[in-house]
Amino acid sequence: LGTLTIANNMLIGTLPAELDSLTLLEELSLQGNNLTGKIPSEFGRLTNIKSISLQENDLTGTIPTELGQWIALESFWASQNILNGSLPSETIGKWTNIKNFAFNNNGLTGTLPTELGQWTALEMFFVLENNFSGSLPSETIGQWTNIKNFAVSSNDLTGTLPTELGQWTGVEMFFASENYLTGSLPSE
Protein backbone atom coordinates (compact mmCIF):
# COMPACT_ATOMS: atom_id res chain seq x y z
CA LEU A 1 0.00 0.00 0.00
CA GLY A 2 1.52 3.32 -1.09
CA THR A 3 -1.24 5.75 -0.07
CA LEU A 4 -3.70 5.63 2.83
CA THR A 5 -6.25 8.44 3.01
CA ILE A 6 -9.09 8.50 5.55
CA ALA A 7 -9.45 12.25 5.91
CA ASN A 8 -12.31 14.48 7.04
CA ASN A 9 -14.41 11.88 8.76
CA MET A 10 -15.36 11.33 12.37
CA LEU A 11 -12.75 8.74 13.30
CA ILE A 12 -12.05 8.47 17.01
CA GLY A 13 -9.40 6.73 19.07
CA THR A 14 -5.65 6.76 18.83
CA LEU A 15 -3.29 6.36 15.90
CA PRO A 16 -2.68 2.61 15.65
CA ALA A 17 1.01 1.78 16.09
CA GLU A 18 0.34 -1.22 13.84
CA LEU A 19 0.32 1.10 10.82
CA ASP A 20 4.11 0.71 11.02
CA SER A 21 3.68 -2.60 9.18
CA LEU A 22 2.82 -0.64 6.00
CA THR A 23 6.50 -0.30 5.17
CA LEU A 24 5.88 0.81 1.55
CA LEU A 25 3.57 3.63 2.63
CA GLU A 26 4.52 6.97 1.05
CA GLU A 27 1.44 9.05 1.88
CA LEU A 28 -0.69 8.96 5.03
CA SER A 29 -3.61 11.35 5.35
CA LEU A 30 -5.75 11.22 8.49
CA GLN A 31 -6.53 14.91 8.88
CA GLY A 32 -9.88 16.29 9.92
CA ASN A 33 -10.91 13.54 12.32
CA ASN A 34 -11.18 13.27 16.10
CA LEU A 35 -8.04 11.22 16.71
CA THR A 36 -6.39 11.50 20.13
CA GLY A 37 -3.24 10.34 21.86
CA LYS A 38 0.37 10.54 20.80
CA ILE A 39 2.06 10.05 17.45
CA PRO A 40 3.37 6.49 17.91
CA SER A 41 7.15 6.14 17.96
CA GLU A 42 6.60 3.01 15.84
CA PHE A 43 5.73 5.34 12.94
CA GLY A 44 9.50 5.80 12.61
CA ARG A 45 9.48 2.46 10.77
CA LEU A 46 7.57 4.10 7.89
CA THR A 47 10.89 4.92 6.22
CA ASN A 48 9.34 5.50 2.77
CA ILE A 49 6.90 8.16 3.99
CA LYS A 50 6.98 11.31 1.86
CA SER A 51 3.81 13.05 3.03
CA ILE A 52 1.92 12.77 6.30
CA SER A 53 -1.20 14.79 7.14
CA LEU A 54 -2.40 14.67 10.74
CA GLN A 55 -3.81 18.18 11.09
CA GLU A 56 -7.17 19.01 12.64
CA ASN A 57 -7.26 16.23 15.22
CA ASP A 58 -6.67 16.19 18.98
CA LEU A 59 -3.22 14.62 19.02
CA THR A 60 -1.06 15.25 22.10
CA GLY A 61 2.51 14.70 23.20
CA THR A 62 5.81 15.43 21.57
CA ILE A 63 7.34 14.64 18.19
CA PRO A 64 8.96 11.21 18.61
CA THR A 65 12.70 11.16 17.89
CA GLU A 66 12.17 7.91 15.95
CA LEU A 67 10.60 9.97 13.16
CA GLY A 68 14.15 10.95 12.22
CA GLN A 69 14.11 7.77 10.14
CA TRP A 70 11.77 9.52 7.67
CA ILE A 71 14.61 10.50 5.35
CA ALA A 72 12.30 10.72 2.29
CA LEU A 73 9.89 13.13 4.05
CA GLU A 74 8.73 16.06 1.92
CA SER A 75 5.56 17.27 3.70
CA PHE A 76 4.52 17.08 7.35
CA TRP A 77 1.16 18.62 8.22
CA ALA A 78 0.14 18.50 11.91
CA SER A 79 -1.53 21.86 12.54
CA GLN A 80 -4.45 22.30 14.90
CA ASN A 81 -3.65 19.59 17.40
CA ILE A 82 -2.46 19.76 21.02
CA LEU A 83 1.18 18.76 20.40
CA ASN A 84 3.79 20.11 22.81
CA GLY A 85 7.49 20.05 23.53
CA SER A 86 10.26 21.29 21.29
CA LEU A 87 11.27 20.43 17.74
CA PRO A 88 13.79 17.62 18.38
CA SER A 89 16.96 18.72 16.59
CA GLU A 90 18.28 15.17 16.25
CA THR A 91 15.11 14.26 14.37
CA ILE A 92 14.38 17.25 12.17
CA GLY A 93 17.99 17.53 11.03
CA LYS A 94 17.48 14.29 9.10
CA TRP A 95 14.51 15.59 7.10
CA THR A 96 16.69 17.14 4.40
CA ASN A 97 14.09 16.69 1.60
CA ILE A 98 11.27 18.50 3.38
CA LYS A 99 9.40 21.15 1.39
CA ASN A 100 6.30 21.76 3.53
CA PHE A 101 6.15 21.92 7.32
CA ALA A 102 2.94 23.03 9.04
CA PHE A 103 2.63 22.71 12.82
CA ASN A 104 0.65 25.86 13.58
CA ASN A 105 -1.94 26.03 16.36
CA ASN A 106 -0.25 23.62 18.77
CA GLY A 107 1.66 24.11 22.02
CA LEU A 108 5.22 23.71 20.78
CA THR A 109 7.94 25.38 22.85
CA GLY A 110 11.66 26.05 22.83
CA THR A 111 13.74 27.74 20.18
CA LEU A 112 13.81 27.16 16.45
CA PRO A 113 16.78 24.77 16.10
CA THR A 114 19.65 25.60 13.77
CA GLU A 115 19.18 22.11 12.23
CA LEU A 116 16.25 23.63 10.34
CA GLY A 117 18.94 25.10 8.10
CA GLN A 118 19.42 21.63 6.63
CA TRP A 119 15.98 21.95 5.02
CA THR A 120 17.38 23.55 1.86
CA ALA A 121 14.37 22.48 -0.28
CA LEU A 122 11.89 24.14 2.11
CA GLU A 123 9.09 26.12 0.46
CA MET A 124 6.54 26.47 3.28
CA PHE A 125 7.15 26.86 7.02
CA PHE A 126 4.10 27.44 9.25
CA VAL A 127 4.55 27.38 13.03
CA LEU A 128 2.29 30.27 13.99
CA GLU A 129 0.31 30.16 17.23
CA ASN A 130 2.72 28.10 19.30
CA ASN A 131 5.03 29.11 22.14
CA PHE A 132 8.40 29.29 20.39
CA SER A 133 10.92 31.66 21.97
CA GLY A 134 14.35 33.01 21.12
CA SER A 135 15.37 34.60 17.88
CA LEU A 136 14.98 33.65 14.24
CA PRO A 137 18.30 31.85 13.65
CA SER A 138 20.12 33.68 10.87
CA GLU A 139 22.23 30.63 9.98
CA THR A 140 18.98 28.77 9.31
CA ILE A 141 17.15 31.54 7.47
CA GLY A 142 20.03 31.97 5.05
CA GLN A 143 19.71 28.37 3.86
CA TRP A 144 16.04 28.66 2.87
CA THR A 145 16.52 30.10 -0.61
CA ASN A 146 13.41 28.29 -1.97
CA ILE A 147 11.03 29.58 0.72
CA LYS A 148 7.71 30.91 -0.56
CA ASN A 149 5.48 30.97 2.53
CA PHE A 150 6.71 31.71 6.05
CA ALA A 151 4.51 32.15 9.13
CA VAL A 152 5.72 32.45 12.72
CA SER A 153 3.08 34.85 14.07
CA SER A 154 1.74 34.57 17.61
CA ASN A 155 4.77 33.05 19.30
CA ASP A 156 7.23 34.53 21.79
CA LEU A 157 10.06 35.22 19.36
CA THR A 158 12.55 37.96 20.23
CA GLY A 159 15.51 39.69 18.63
CA THR A 160 15.84 41.34 15.26
CA LEU A 161 14.88 40.22 11.78
CA PRO A 162 17.97 38.57 10.24
CA THR A 163 19.53 40.33 7.25
CA GLU A 164 19.53 36.91 5.54
CA LEU A 165 15.84 37.47 4.80
CA GLY A 166 17.12 39.47 1.84
CA GLN A 167 18.14 36.18 0.21
CA TRP A 168 14.49 35.11 0.00
CA THR A 169 13.88 36.37 -3.52
CA GLY A 170 10.83 34.15 -4.18
CA VAL A 171 8.94 34.71 -0.93
CA GLU A 172 5.22 35.31 -1.45
CA MET A 173 3.98 35.45 2.14
CA PHE A 174 5.77 36.47 5.34
CA PHE A 175 3.91 36.57 8.68
CA ALA A 176 5.77 37.38 11.91
CA SER A 177 3.13 39.44 13.76
CA GLU A 178 2.45 39.23 17.49
CA ASN A 179 5.94 38.36 18.68
CA TYR A 180 8.52 40.47 20.51
CA LEU A 181 10.77 41.32 17.58
CA THR A 182 12.81 44.53 17.80
CA GLY A 183 15.17 46.64 15.74
CA SER A 184 14.69 47.86 12.21
CA LEU A 185 13.64 46.24 9.00
CA PRO A 186 16.60 44.75 7.11
CA SER A 187 17.54 46.95 4.15
CA GLU A 188 18.65 44.02 2.00
Side-chain angles (χ1 to χ4, degrees):
L1 184 64
T3 301
L4 176 60
T5 300
I6 312 173
N8 302 313
N9 284 286
M10 291 183 261
L11 297 178
I12 58 171
T14 60
L15 293 171
E18 294 78 13
L19 287 177
D20 74 334
S21 65
L22 302 173
T23 55
L24 299 178
L25 195 65
E26 292 183 0
E27 295 181 35
L28 176 62
S29 180
L30 298 171
Q31 83 261 9
N33 284 291
N34 296 307
L35 298 171
T36 58
K38 297 180 179 186
I39 299 172
S41 60
E42 291 85 354
F43 276 22
R45 295 188 192 113
L46 299 173
T47 56
N48 290 308
I49 202 81
K50 289 183 180 176
S51 178
I52 185 160
S53 299
L54 301 174
Q55 70 266 26
E56 298 172 12
N57 280 292
D58 293 313
L59 299 174
T60 57
T62 60
I63 300 168
T65 57
E66 292 82 357
L67 303 189
Q69 298 175 65
W70 291 355
I71 57 173
L73 186 66
E74 295 177 1
S75 297
F76 197 170
W77 313 88
S79 300
Q80 297 176 345
N81 279 290
I82 316 167
L83 298 170
N84 59 32
S86 62
L87 294 177
S89 56
E90 65 276 10
T91 300
I92 64 169
K94 297 177 183 172
W95 298 340
T96 56
N97 296 311
I98 199 156
K99 294 179 183 176
N100 302 297
F101 186 78
F103 268 69
N104 46 292
N105 300 84
N106 276 291
L108 299 176
T109 59
T111 60
L112 296 175
T114 57
E115 287 79 4
L116 292 171
Q118 296 173 38
W119 295 3
T120 56
L122 190 67
E123 296 178 4
M124 189 206 68
F125 185 75
F126 280 11
V127 294
L128 55 148
E129 297 189 33
N130 277 289
N131 297 304
F132 287 111
S133 58
S135 62
L136 294 172
S138 57
E139 60 275 16
T140 297
I141 299 291
Q143 301 300 314
W144 293 352
T145 55
N146 296 312
I147 196 82
K148 290 181 176 50
N149 300 300
F150 178 82
V152 295
S153 297
S154 301
N155 278 287
D156 296 317
L157 298 172
T158 58
T160 60
L161 293 173
T163 58
E164 288 80 1
L165 293 175
Q167 298 171 22
W168 290 5
T169 56
V171 72
E172 298 169 1
M173 185 189 77
F174 182 93
F175 291 143
S177 305
E178 299 180 28
N179 281 291
Y180 301 99
L181 299 171
T182 59
S184 59
L185 292 174
S187 57
E188 293 82 18

mmCIF file of all heavy atoms in Angstrom, residues 7 62 89 124 147:
data_model
loop_
_atom_site.group_PDB
_atom_site.id
_atom_site.type_symbol
_atom_site.label_atom_id
_atom_site.label_comp_id
_atom_site.label_asym_id
_atom_site.label_seq_id
_atom_site.Cartn_x
_atom_site.Cartn_y
_atom_site.Cartn_z
ATOM 1 N N ALA A 7 -9.401 10.874 5.406
ATOM 2 C CA ALA A 7 -9.447 12.248 5.906
ATOM 3 C C ALA A 7 -10.872 12.754 6.017
ATOM 4 O O ALA A 7 -11.778 12.283 5.334
ATOM 5 C CB ALA A 7 -8.660 13.152 4.963
ATOM 6 N N THR A 62 4.691 14.839 22.276
ATOM 7 C CA THR A 62 5.809 15.425 21.566
ATOM 8 C C THR A 62 6.048 14.708 20.235
ATOM 9 O O THR A 62 5.451 13.674 19.968
ATOM 10 C CB THR A 62 7.082 15.336 22.424
ATOM 11 O OG1 THR A 62 7.357 13.955 22.690
ATOM 12 C CG2 THR A 62 6.927 16.078 23.737
ATOM 13 N N SER A 89 15.941 18.425 17.601
ATOM 14 C CA SER A 89 16.958 18.722 16.595
ATOM 15 C C SER A 89 17.550 17.465 15.981
ATOM 16 O O SER A 89 17.834 17.428 14.785
ATOM 17 C CB SER A 89 18.046 19.614 17.180
ATOM 18 O OG SER A 89 18.601 19.014 18.324
ATOM 19 N N MET A 124 7.570 25.975 2.374
ATOM 20 C CA MET A 124 6.541 26.473 3.277
ATOM 21 C C MET A 124 6.877 26.085 4.709
ATOM 22 O O MET A 124 7.156 24.922 4.981
ATOM 23 C CB MET A 124 5.176 25.901 2.907
ATOM 24 C CG MET A 124 4.061 26.576 3.677
ATOM 25 S SD MET A 124 2.609 25.538 3.884
ATOM 26 C CE MET A 124 3.213 24.305 4.975
ATOM 27 N N ILE A 147 12.218 29.302 -0.095
ATOM 28 C CA ILE A 147 11.028 29.583 0.716
ATOM 29 C C ILE A 147 10.053 30.496 -0.026
ATOM 30 O O ILE A 147 10.458 31.453 -0.668
ATOM 31 C CB ILE A 147 11.427 30.184 2.095
ATOM 32 C CG1 ILE A 147 10.273 30.122 3.085
ATOM 33 C CG2 ILE A 147 11.967 31.587 1.954
ATOM 34 C CD1 ILE A 147 10.100 28.820 3.768
#
